[in-house]
Amino acid sequence: MSGFDRVARIYRWLEYVAFGSSLQRARTAHLPALADCRDILVIGDGDGRAIAQLAVVAAHARIHSIDMSDAMLREAAQRLPAAARDRVTFARADVRTFDPGHHAWDAVLTMFVLDCLTEDEVRRVVTTLAGGLRPGGRWLFADFAIPERGWRRLRARVWIACLYWFFRWRADLAVSRLPASEAIITAAGFVPVAVDVRQAGMIRSICYEREGA
Ligand SMILES: C[S@@+](CC[C@H](N)C(=O)[O-])C[C@H]1O[C@@H](n2cnc3c(N)ncnc32)[C@H](O)[C@@H]1O
């Protein structure tokens, strides 16, 4: 059992109370960039709100979604539009040990999931997932961030500390600080081609392309 099983049914409502529609807008901001993709890998999609939209936008793509939580996977499967069911597969897997294959995917999505890993884990996962992407592949990323300075920084630090406290308490999350995921993805050879910023810089959503694509 994953600790996230315990929050699967209330996750959506907690999010709306805390941030309104900001997270969902961040998840969906760059989905149109994947409209022509054939094979898309989704990591830790939780209750499936990104996939429900992705399946509509990328109308011909095969989508494979992995998550560590059975309850989250169930929620995601229920949310999927009926017409997309034969194109989407769900599997319980830990991204830290998942093998994405070699050049198997046109795009990978990591939305609010790399923040569940330590920085060393993010480094290893990014290297592995990058190997799974085809040349010209895209990486859609969304996560929390701490702005450089001022009240925005203070606000983000307080919110993010509260979020880690909550997920440590309810979901047994072992991590308690944000990894430098954006820097790690960039260092792996990806270039941000579109950036969407919300909640005074605390929520960032980025569409990356592999350098030299
Ligand atoms: C904070 S929730 C985010 C869910 C969703 N991506 C979103 O945009 O809200 C983190 C999700 O990632 C999953 N997760 C956490 N660590 C994981 C891992 N190592 N491998 C696969 N999934 C993981 C959890 O089960 C949960 O569904």
Side-chain angles (χ1 to χ4, degrees):
M1 177 181 166
S2 156
F4 276 92
D5 288 351
R6 287 200 289 275
V7 294
R9 299 191 73 167
I10 55 165
Y11 183 73
R12 179 183 183 198
W13 303 111
L14 287 174
E15 170 187 320
Y16 282 135
V17 169
F19 302 113
S21 59
S22 294
L23 269 73
Q24 183 62 2
R25 287 174 191 269
R27 284 181 198 107
T28 56
H30 306 300
L31 292 183
L34 307 191
D36 296 331
C37 288
R38 287 171 296 145
D39 298 291
I40 303 176
L41 176 62
V42 180
I43 307 294
D45 189 42
D47 63 7
R49 278 168 293 145
I51 290 186
Q53 295 277 320
L54 176 64
V56 175
V57 173
H60 303 291
R62 287 179 295 274
I63 300 169
H64 186 57
S65 170
I66 67 157
D67 198 292
M68 251 175 32
S69 158
D70 286 321
M72 287 289 199
L73 288 166
R74 271 197 303 277
E75 293 282 320
Q78 281 166 16
R79 180 158 287 123
L80 200 61
R85 289 205 177 120
D86 57 340
R87 293 187 289 114
V88 183
T89 50
F90 293 97
R92 183 180 191 278
D94 185 333
V95 66
R96 294 169 294 188
T97 51
F98 176 73
D99 177 5
H102 181 64
H103 289 185
W105 309 96
D106 299 309
V108 62
L109 266 76
T110 56
M111 307 275 176
F112 303 99
V113 59
L114 296 183
D115 57 1
C116 298
L117 309 179
T118 66
E119 202 151 291
D120 280 348
E121 288 170 342
V122 172
R123 244 179 238 111
R124 285 195 289 274
V125 161
V126 166
T127 303
T128 310
L129 293 178
L133 273 176
R134 294 179 179 136
R138 294 191 163 172
W139 190 313
L140 261 52
F141 162 91
D143 225 321
F144 292 96
I146 300 180
E148 286 284 305
R149 59 182 73 84
W151 65 269
R152 292 177 175 81
R153 180 173 178 82
L154 184 63
R155 173 180 183 266
R157 284 176 68 112
V158 171
W159 259 119
I160 289 164
C162 292
L163 290 171
Y164 273 119
W165 173 84
F166 175 80
F167 283 107
R168 201 163 47 244
W169 171 50
R170 293 309 298 157
D172 303 328
L173 189 65
V175 175
S176 56
R177 54 181 296 206
L178 277 181
S181 302
E182 290 185 37
I184 293 170
I185 295 173
T186 306
F190 291 85
V191 180
V193 292
V195 181
D196 178 90
V197 179
R198 298 182 182 274
Q199 293 280 339
M202 191 172 66
I203 294 172
R204 290 169 59 83
S205 170
I206 304 177
C207 175
Y208 290 96
E209 274 178 13
R210 200 193 275 279
E211 230 163 25

